[in-house]
Amino acid sequence: MHQTGEILINGRKETLAFGTSAYVTQDDTLMTTLTVREAVFYSAQLQLPDSMSISEKKERAEMTIKEMGLQDSMDTRIGGWSTKGLSGGQKRRVSICIEILTWPKLLFLDEPTSGLDSAASYHVMNRIVKLAHQHGRTIIASIHQPSSEVFELFHNLCLLSYGKTVYFGPVSMAEMLFATNGFPCPPLRNPSDHYLRTINKDFDEDIEQGIGSSSTEEIIDTLVKSYKSSEICKQVQHNVLKISQQKRGPLEKKGSQASFITQSIVLTKRSFINMYRDLGYYWLRFAIYIALCLCVGTIFHDIGLTYGSIQARGSMLMFVAAFLTFMAIGGFPSFVEDMKIFGRERLNGHYGVGAFVIGNTISSIPYLCFISLIPGALAYYLVGLQKSFDHFIYFVILLFTSTMLVESIMMTVASVVPNYLMGIITGAGIQGIMILNGGFFRLPDDLPKPIWRYPMYYIAFHKYANQGFYKNEFEGLSFPNNQVGGPPTITGDEVLRSFWQVEMGYSKWIDLVILFGMVVVYRLMFWGIIITVEKIKPLIKDYMAASPKKSSMILENPSSISSQLEML
C-alpha cells in the first residue's frame, strides 16, 4: 500500500510521537504485577511536572481511577499469565487512565470500549467527552458497534471502507446522506449498526429489503460519489483549507514534564517491585542456581590438592563462568514484556531511553547480588576452593559481573529481536560461540588465528571470566607433579602458564575491570540501538513514501485521508 498526504497539527507538520499526542492502543500493554493504584500512580509520577507534590500526583491518579469506575479494584493486581487479576474491560480502563492523567491535547483511542458492557462503555466515553469539553482537547476514537447512547456522544463521524471515505462530517448529517441514496435507517435501529451493515462487504449480500440485486461494492461506490458531490464534503474541504492556513503554535509540551532524575528514580522503584513479584524474572532462576550449585558442589566435593584436581578445578570454574551465567537468559521473556511496556510509554513520551536503562540496571543489582552470593557460596565451599575470604569475595563479584554482562547482552538482543522465542535462540547462539572461544574447550594457542583467535577470543567475555576465576584459585597453590622426570611439585603459577595458557601479564582485578567495562559497553549499545532505530524508522518511511516505484495496491482516495488528518 502506498500512502500519501500530510499530517498537520495547528497548521504545522509534526510527528505524532513522543508526547505530541497520547495513544491508547487496542492491546493493553500493562505491567501485570502492579495493582491499579500503583500502575496509575507511577505513571503520574513519570508524566506530571516536579512542581506538583507527591500528594497532588497521588490525588490526581486516584481521581482518574474513580472517574473510570475502578475504585473497587484499586488494590487488585492487573494480572497476567500467572495470576487472574483484572478483566479485559478493566484493563482497557486502566490503559485509558494512564494516558489521560496529563490531559493531552490530542488523544487517540483505538477501540476504547472493547471488553466493556454498554453501561461501562457509556460512562467511559462520557468521561472522555467531558475531558474534551473542559480542557479543550481533541479526541479521535475508532469504535466498533457503539450503543446508541455512546454514538450520540460523538460530534463528527468518519466512515471508511477499504480505503474509501464513505462519509466524513457531522454525525447528524450522515443519516441524510444514506437516506437520499436509498439506504434510510429503519425506525428503532441504532444508526451506527445500520451504517456498518451497509458498507461492510465482508459478507457480500443484500443489506436491506428493497435494495435489489446491488452488491455491497456498488452501494459503497454510490455513497462515495454522493458524498464527494455533497455540500457536506465541500464544507469539510473549506474548513480543512482554512484550518491548514492558520499557522498556530506547536503543542505546549512534548512528553513527560518530570525531570530525568525523577524518571530514573520512579522507574527504578517500579522495576524493583516488578522483579520482586514476577516469579520468572529472578526467583525461578535463583531456584535453578541453587540446584545447579548443589550438583556442582556434590560432584566436585572436597576436591583436594592432587595432580588430578588441576583439571577438576578448571572444569568446575569453567562451568560456573559459562553455564551458570548462561542461565541468565531465563529472564528474557519477562524482559521482553518490559520492552513492550517501554515501547508504548516511550511512544507516548512518558520518559526517555536513558532513564529506562538506568532504572532497569539499578533495580536488577540487588537480585543479581543475591543469586550470585548464596548459590556461589554453596558451590565454593562444597568444592573446597581456596579458604581465604578475600578469594571468596572475588569469586562472588566475578560471578555477579558475568551474570550482569549476560543480561546486558540479552538486552542488546531484545532491542534488535523483540520476539522472545527468537531472542532466546539468538542470545543462546551468541553465548555458545563465546563459550567455544573462551579458552577451555580449545586452548588459546590452539585456536585458529583468523576469526577465532583474532578477534573472537578477545570479544568473548568468557576469556576474562575464565582467567579471573583461574588466577583467583590457582595463584598461591602447589600440586604434586605426576610427570616423570619433573620436579616433585608444580606451583599454581606454572599451571596457569603451561596448563591453561593464561595471560599472566596483568592481575585478576584487570580481568574483572574488563568485564565491568563490557557491561557498560553493552548497556550503551542497548541505549544506542533504540535511539538509532527511532531515528531511522521515520527516514525509511519517508524514503518508501517518496519512492517512485508503485505498489500493486494503491490507496484509492489518499487526499481524503490527508484531509481528515488535517481537519483534526
Side-chain angles (χ1 to χ4, degrees):
M1 180 175 289
H2 184 62
Q3 299 178 359
T4 59
E6 289 182 318
I7 298 174
L8 302 180
I9 303 176
N10 290 342
R12 298 172 179 268
K13 189 173 181 180
E14 291 194 32
T15 303
L16 292 175
F18 306 126
T20 306
S21 60
Y23 176 35
V24 179
T25 59
Q26 184 175 358
D27 298 324
D28 298 308
T29 309
L30 300 166
M31 196 163 283
T32 59
T33 57
L34 300 180
T35 64
V36 173
R37 190 196 304 270
E38 290 169 340
V40 180
F41 179 52
Y42 280 129
S43 186
Q45 293 181 78
L46 288 169
Q47 298 183 72
L48 298 175
D50 290 340
S51 57
M52 291 181 65
S53 65
I54 296 296
S55 59
E56 289 174 328
K57 293 179 181 180
K58 189 174 183 179
E59 183 181 354
R60 171 79 67 88
E62 293 186 356
M63 179 187 70
T64 306
I65 292 171
K66 290 176 182 177
E67 287 172 344
M68 286 293 119
L70 292 169
Q71 61 273 9
D72 294 333
S73 305
M74 276 191 179
D75 297 314
T76 303
R77 291 189 188 180
I78 292 170
W81 66 270
S82 58
T83 55
K84 176 64 176 69
L86 303 178
S87 66
Q90 289 173 321
K91 290 179 182 178
R92 172 48 49 93
R93 283 183 273 171
V94 173
S95 297
I96 296 173
C97 283
I98 289 172
E99 297 306 332
I100 66 174
L101 278 168
T102 57
W103 300 329
K105 291 282 188 180
L106 186 58
L107 176 64
F108 290 93
L109 300 168
D110 191 355
E111 298 187 33
T113 58
S114 295
L116 303 179
D117 57 40
S118 57
S121 297
Y122 174 77
H123 287 297
V124 168
M125 293 308 301
N126 188 44
R127 159 60 188 153
I128 292 171
V129 170
K130 287 181 180 178
L131 174 71
H133 278 300
Q134 292 174 1
H135 305 285
R137 273 36 178 173
T138 301
I139 314 292
I140 301 97
S142 66
I143 190 165
H144 289 178
Q145 201 174 6
S147 65
S148 56
E149 291 84 0
V150 171
F151 186 70
E152 290 172 358
L153 294 173
F154 287 89
H155 306 111
N156 295 290
L157 173 67
C158 176
L159 293 174
L160 300 174
S161 182
Y162 292 86
K164 299 177 182 179
T165 304
V166 178
Y167 177 80
F168 180 54
V171 173
S172 58
M173 302 298 291
E175 189 172 348
M176 184 182 71
L177 177 73
F178 278 73
T180 55
N181 286 279
F183 315 113
C185 180
L188 305 180
R189 176 173 291 180
N190 186 344
S192 65
D193 291 339
H194 172 68
Y195 300 150
L196 291 178
R197 289 181 61 189
T198 304
I199 64 175
N200 186 349
K201 66 177 183 179
D202 289 338
F203 306 93
D204 197 6
E205 299 174 352
D206 292 347
I207 305 302
E208 301 288 345
Q209 285 185 339
I211 288 179
S213 60
S214 300
S215 67
T216 308
E217 190 169 355
E218 291 173 346
I219 295 172
I220 294 171
D221 288 338
T222 300
L223 290 170
V224 169
K225 291 177 182 177
S226 176
Y227 171 71
K228 286 182 178 178
S229 60
S230 67
E231 289 296 323
I232 302 171
C233 182
K234 292 178 183 177
Q235 185 62 40
V236 167
Q237 291 177 345
H238 174 73
N239 290 339
V240 168
L241 181 63
K242 182 179 179 181
I243 292 172
S244 62
Q245 290 175 348
Q246 295 177 359
K247 299 295 183 182
R248 300 180 184 177
L251 297 186
E252 290 178 2
K253 184 69 179 178
K254 289 191 175 184
S256 171
Q257 300 178 56
S259 66
F260 176 80
I261 295 176
T262 300
Q263 292 175 9
S264 300
I265 293 173
V266 172
L267 287 174
T268 300
K269 291 179 180 177
R270 189 179 75 171
S271 181
F272 184 87
I273 292 175
N274 180 48
M275 291 172 180
Y276 176 76
R277 294 176 181 172
D278 187 350
L279 295 177
Y281 226 121
Y282 287 111
W283 297 116
L284 181 59
R285 200 189 317 172
F286 174 72
I288 295 174
Y289 271 41
I290 291 289
L292 287 174
C293 287
L294 285 173
C295 293
V296 171
T298 51
I299 290 173
F300 295 92
H301 182 254
D302 199 10
I303 203 167
L305 292 171
T306 63
Y307 184 80
S309 70
I310 295 175
Q311 177 63 43
R313 271 181 164 78
S315 300
M316 180 268 176
L317 293 171
M318 186 282 302
F319 181 87
V320 172
F323 294 104
L324 204 59
T325 58
F326 182 86
M327 296 306 300
I329 67 173
F332 186 75
S334 297
F335 182 71
V336 168
E337 293 302 315
D338 286 354
M339 286 294 295
K340 291 179 182 178
I341 296 168
F342 163 74
R344 174 185 61 80
E345 294 178 334
R346 169 65 175 156
L347 189 65
N348 285 326
H350 293 190
Y351 49 83
V353 182
F356 173 73
V357 175
I358 290 174
N360 182 270
T361 302
I362 296 176
S363 60
S364 66
I365 289 175
Y367 297 101
L368 291 176
C369 287
F370 184 67
I371 66 174
S372 298
L373 179 62
I374 296 178
L378 284 174
Y380 193 89
Y381 287 108
L382 281 174
V383 173
L385 302 180
Q386 289 213 41
K387 305 299 182 184
S388 169
F389 185 71
D390 294 342
H391 287 81
F392 169 70
I393 291 297
Y394 180 88
F395 178 89
V396 171
I397 293 174
L398 190 58
L399 178 58
F400 162 78
T401 308
S402 300
T403 307
M404 178 171 275
L405 179 54
V406 174
E407 285 207 342
S408 303
I409 293 173
M410 297 308 294
M411 288 176 69
T412 307
V413 171
S415 64
V416 180
V417 186
N419 179 273
Y420 78 87
L421 182 59
M422 292 179 62
I424 287 177
I425 294 171
T426 303
I430 291 171
Q431 287 199 71
I433 295 173
M434 289 185 174
I435 291 172
L436 200 59
N437 288 274
F440 177 82
F441 294 102
R442 190 72 166 161
L443 291 173
D445 292 344
D446 298 329
L447 284 171
K449 286 185 170 52
I451 300 177
W452 302 116
R453 181 66 187 271
Y454 306 104
M456 288 303 301
Y457 175 63
Y458 293 94
I459 292 175
F461 79 89
H462 297 85
K463 166 189 183 299
Y464 308 100
N466 285 339
Q467 290 193 4
F469 281 126
Y470 288 167
K471 291 175 184 177
N472 185 58
E473 177 59 23
F474 284 98
E475 287 180 340
L477 295 182
S478 61
F479 304 88
N481 190 1
N482 290 355
Q483 294 179 346
V484 178
T489 59
I490 180 173
T491 64
D493 286 5
E494 291 173 343
V495 170
L496 291 172
R497 286 190 176 88
S498 60
F499 201 94
W500 298 116
Q501 298 179 4
V502 172
E503 297 175 9
M504 300 298 291
Y506 51 88
S507 72
K508 62 183 181 182
W509 296 102
I510 300 298
D511 291 301
L512 182 61
V513 170
I514 292 173
L515 286 172
F516 182 77
M518 285 184 167
V519 172
V520 176
V521 168
Y522 279 114
R523 298 272 169 164
L524 290 176
M525 282 178 61
F526 170 70
W527 176 82
I529 290 172
I530 293 177
I531 295 295
T532 303
V533 169
E534 287 178 356
K535 292 182 178 180
I536 288 178
K537 269 189 177 179
L539 297 177
I540 293 175
K541 288 182 179 179
D542 290 344
Y543 173 77
M544 296 299 292
S547 175
K549 181 180 179 180
K550 294 185 178 180
S551 61
S552 58
M553 182 176 180
I554 307 297
L555 196 62
E556 187 157 337
N557 189 12
S559 61
S560 65
I561 303 296
S562 160
S563 300
Q564 294 162 36
L565 293 174
E566 290 176 4
M567 182 65 180
L568 299 176

